Amino acid sequence: MNGEMDGALTAKLTEAERLLRARRGDAALGALLAAWAELRAPELAAQIEALSDALAAQRPRTLGALRPGERHQRWLEQAAEADPVALPELLEHLTDDNAVRSRERVLALAARRPDPRIAARVLDCIERPPYTSAGKFWTQVHRLLPRHADPRVIRRLERATVALDTSMGERLERMRERSILRVREALAPLATRPGEAQTKQLARVAEAVEALAAASLDAEAQARALLDAVHANPGALEHRQIYADWLLSRGDPRGEFIALQLAEIHGRATRTHKARANALLREHGSAWIGTLGPALVQRDRAFRGGFLHAARVTSKAFELEAIADDPTWSTVEVLLNPPLALLERAPLPALRELGLDAFLAPQLFATRRRGRPRWPGVETLRLELQDSWRNLALDRDGNLSAAFLVGLARCLPLPKLEHLRLRSELDLPTPQVRSMLAGPLGQRLRSLELVLANTDADALPGLVSVLERSCPALERAFLSPRPGKREGLTLRRAAREWTALELDLPSDGMHGPSRALRRVARDLAATRGLELVERR
């Protein structure tokens, strides 16, 4: 190494040490990588990797929560940003898709500056092949090695064996032998051993990296403690504010997001604040729900107070074991379509509204006859009685089966249950509704929504009479014969007397069912002395 290069290298290592002592780890990593371009010493590579691990531990992992197509697109976007701190997560997901996409990712890495972490990951692929064919992928993998040449690569390549007894195995063996030669050629003009001055500098860099890593561990433990406090007390907004302040002090965008959403809860958020919160959510939302991502319907998830508030579980397959015990569930207040196995395991202390297939609800509550209810805060139950449950929910005469009615009555262990929303694709005549609401369940309801398919509008007065007899505490009822459309009757009551009748009609014009609904509404208003209010 000539004097000019030696001086440049010394300057870069000095800058890296200064940045480390100033706790500017991201910038220090860039300075060490700049030094790596000139000095391919294992001692320097070790410090790059140690600092990288410490910094990556502080970054939220986002890619694992995405579905394959979204993950691949986001992977390429992050690779194009060339953020050295983000590289460990990119390398972790380098080959978790098909060979074509993995080849695209390898090509994206070819444009990055020399980095010992890339060489190490490439060697992992060679030692443990993710694909048994995919020649184009392997060609690009071996092309990466000379660019990111690391003296340690040669030793690993020489020891590596190709465990494929096929023609592809023979081809990979030839690639391995050529890569050894090309890496040696790439390293020939580069320094691989530090001089005396650089050795001392690297020792100081190692001390600074160790100190920063220790501080990172302390910060990670503090962050975990603050987050645990939020999950343990999801209704205590002060814990969220403390966590937001801590994140803001470290420049974490989630701190800003939590603060903005808390301001909205307290009525202090402006339109600009809400727009900023939505922008942050679009950019980072997948990271903030962590492992729950693949299990949730993206358009139906919502945040409140900076944390996941409402979610619908997807009907697609997902790994239950990976998400069931995730503390992220702790702040969820509205949960729709969860499988029973998830409900039995997930921590849901904040749950207020639960949506289920109507026939699954009796199965769920039938298993919890004794002991304290698992979801004591649930106030609203949404049930969907799908046509696919016809043979189970109805008996031979077409009536709701005794098993279904008894099971539904077991919803009563929910001590705060006061609101029931039932959407049925089955024909439910008035006697069936009477059977469902008879007993303690109907006695407790304060609001009820019945959306019944194939129910004639002329049946609605009979349903109103059922509500008058079976639901003495009822304050609001919505009755609709048209699932999928916000069309129906809303009745309001106080002191067991109906006080208002509202009719919602479609805005796109009247049709046969709408005219029948209007006629029935007018008759109800006349017989009960109510003023009818129509809305479109």
Side-chain angles (χ1 to χ4, degrees):
M1 182 182 298
N2 60 42
E4 183 178 345
M5 293 179 61
D6 186 64
L9 176 59
T10 298
K12 291 172 182 175
L13 290 176
T14 300
E15 176 66 4
E17 182 184 353
R18 183 188 69 79
L19 293 168
L20 285 167
R21 306 233 180 251
R23 294 290 190 266
R24 294 177 57 191
D26 294 26
L29 181 59
L32 290 178
L33 288 171
W36 174 257
E38 299 177 18
L39 175 64
R40 303 298 175 92
E43 300 92 331
L44 177 55
Q47 298 314 312
I48 291 173
E49 291 165 349
L51 178 57
S52 175
D53 291 343
L55 296 174
Q58 301 178 52
R59 286 281 188 100
R61 297 298 179 102
T62 62
L63 296 177
L66 302 177
R67 293 183 174 84
E70 296 174 305
R71 183 188 304 135
H72 181 61
Q73 184 60 37
R74 185 60 185 145
W75 196 103
L76 295 176
E77 291 171 358
Q78 288 190 8
E81 293 168 3
D83 179 2
V85 181
L87 183 62
E89 186 178 17
L90 296 181
L91 295 177
E92 178 184 340
H93 294 278
L94 182 63
T95 58
D96 66 354
D97 210 319
N98 60 53
V100 174
R101 285 178 173 171
S102 295
R103 177 174 173 267
E104 287 185 56
R105 297 173 187 179
V106 170
L107 285 169
L109 293 179
R112 296 181 77 109
R113 61 181 172 180
D115 194 317
R117 298 170 296 172
I118 294 177
R121 182 65 179 94
V122 168
L123 261 294
D124 291 340
C125 291
I126 293 172
E127 292 172 344
R128 294 179 293 277
Y131 310 109
T132 57
S133 54
K136 291 182 178 180
F137 166 80
W138 288 113
T139 298
Q140 296 303 326
V141 163
H142 281 273
R143 285 178 180 173
L144 277 181
L145 286 174
R147 175 169 178 75
H148 300 280
D150 180 341
R152 301 172 301 175
V153 164
I154 296 177
R155 292 192 293 273
R156 287 181 64 181
L157 276 175
E158 289 174 338
R159 293 196 302 266
T161 57
V162 179
L164 294 175
D165 189 19
T166 62
S167 58
M168 189 63 207
E170 296 175 0
R171 182 178 173 186
L172 291 179
E173 178 62 24
R174 291 194 297 271
M175 289 182 180
R176 183 186 70 86
E177 293 172 353
R178 285 197 297 268
S179 289
I180 293 174
L181 296 175
R182 289 171 178 167
V183 170
R184 283 178 173 155
E185 291 173 358
L187 288 172
L190 299 172
T192 58
R193 293 182 180 180
E196 184 178 349
Q198 283 86 40
T199 298
K200 292 178 180 178
Q201 279 188 296
L202 285 172
R204 293 195 298 271
V205 165
E207 291 176 2
V209 168
E210 186 176 352
L212 188 143
S216 298
L217 289 175
D218 291 342
E220 186 179 357
Q222 188 176 2
R224 191 181 304 112
L226 294 174
L227 188 55
D228 287 347
V230 172
H231 291 150
N233 303 277
L237 298 184
E238 59 270 21
H239 290 300
R240 303 188 187 203
Q241 187 64 63
I242 293 170
Y243 185 49
D245 292 341
W246 188 88
L247 292 173
L248 281 168
S249 70
R250 284 154 178 79
D252 191 312
R254 188 171 190 184
E256 180 186 3
F257 176 72
I258 296 172
L260 289 170
Q261 287 214 316
L262 288 175
E264 184 173 355
I265 290 176
H266 296 309
R268 299 194 299 265
T270 65
R271 184 177 299 178
T272 302
H273 292 153
K274 294 176 182 178
R276 174 59 178 164
N278 289 334
L280 288 169
L281 184 59
R282 284 193 298 272
E283 183 176 357
H284 303 287
S286 295
W288 295 337
I289 60 173
T291 61
L292 272 55
L296 304 183
V297 178
Q298 184 170 356
R299 68 175 181 275
D300 291 331
R301 69 191 192 201
F303 281 69
R304 183 175 183 272
F307 290 81
L308 187 63
H309 166 76
R312 179 186 295 275
V313 180
T314 179
S315 58
K316 299 178 181 178
F318 60 89
E319 183 58 49
L320 178 66
E321 291 299 322
I323 68 167
D325 301 316
D326 194 315
T328 306
W329 292 114
S330 300
T331 59
V332 172
E333 296 186 26
V334 180
L335 183 59
L336 307 179
N337 197 39
L340 300 189
L342 176 62
L343 267 178
E344 287 291 344
R345 288 184 51 182
L348 294 163
L351 194 61
R352 298 290 178 269
E353 183 170 336
L354 179 59
L356 297 167
D357 285 340
F359 198 75
L360 294 184
Q363 293 184 49
L364 174 65
F365 293 106
T367 65
R368 308 200 64 82
R369 299 183 191 182
R370 301 175 182 175
R372 188 166 178 259
R374 180 83 181 268
W375 313 281
V378 170
E379 301 170 349
T380 301
L381 194 60
R382 297 192 199 183
L383 301 177
E384 291 200 18
L385 190 53
Q386 300 180 15
D387 190 65
S388 56
W389 294 112
R390 178 178 296 273
N391 294 335
L392 296 174
L394 304 182
D395 59 22
R396 293 180 179 179
D397 299 323
N399 300 317
L400 284 169
S401 67
F404 178 82
L405 292 171
V406 171
L408 189 62
R410 289 186 178 133
C411 296
L412 288 174
L414 298 174
K416 294 187 178 180
L417 180 63
E418 295 180 337
H419 312 284
L420 178 64
R421 302 170 65 180
L422 175 65
R423 181 184 182 278
S424 175
E425 296 177 359
L426 304 179
D427 301 333
L428 288 184
T430 301
Q432 312 287 31
V433 177
R434 183 186 302 115
S435 299
M436 183 178 64
L437 297 178
L441 180 61
Q443 296 285 321
R444 289 172 45 185
L445 291 179
R446 291 178 52 210
S447 74
L448 174 67
E449 291 189 18
L450 292 177
V451 181
L452 308 175
N454 303 318
T455 296
D456 192 276
D458 290 323
L460 296 184
L463 289 175
V464 173
S465 298
V466 169
L467 300 183
E468 289 173 330
R469 292 191 295 270
S470 302
C471 305
L474 196 66
E475 299 173 359
R476 178 187 176 276
F478 176 77
L479 308 176
S480 174
R482 307 206 63 205
K485 295 183 179 293
R486 193 66 183 178
E487 182 177 347
L489 298 178
T490 299
L491 296 101
R492 302 184 187 278
R493 189 165 70 166
R496 304 189 69 166
E497 294 291 335
W498 298 114
T499 59
L501 177 60
E502 301 160 0
L503 173 62
D504 289 288
L505 293 171
S507 58
D508 56 353
M510 295 290 288
H511 44 75
S514 298
R515 285 192 288 271
L517 188 60
R518 173 187 275 176
R519 172 178 52 78
V520 168
R522 288 175 174 174
D523 291 344
L524 275 172
T527 57
R528 286 169 170 76
L530 300 173
E531 180 184 356
L532 177 63
V533 177
E534 292 189 14
R535 296 184 300 218
R536 291 179 181 269

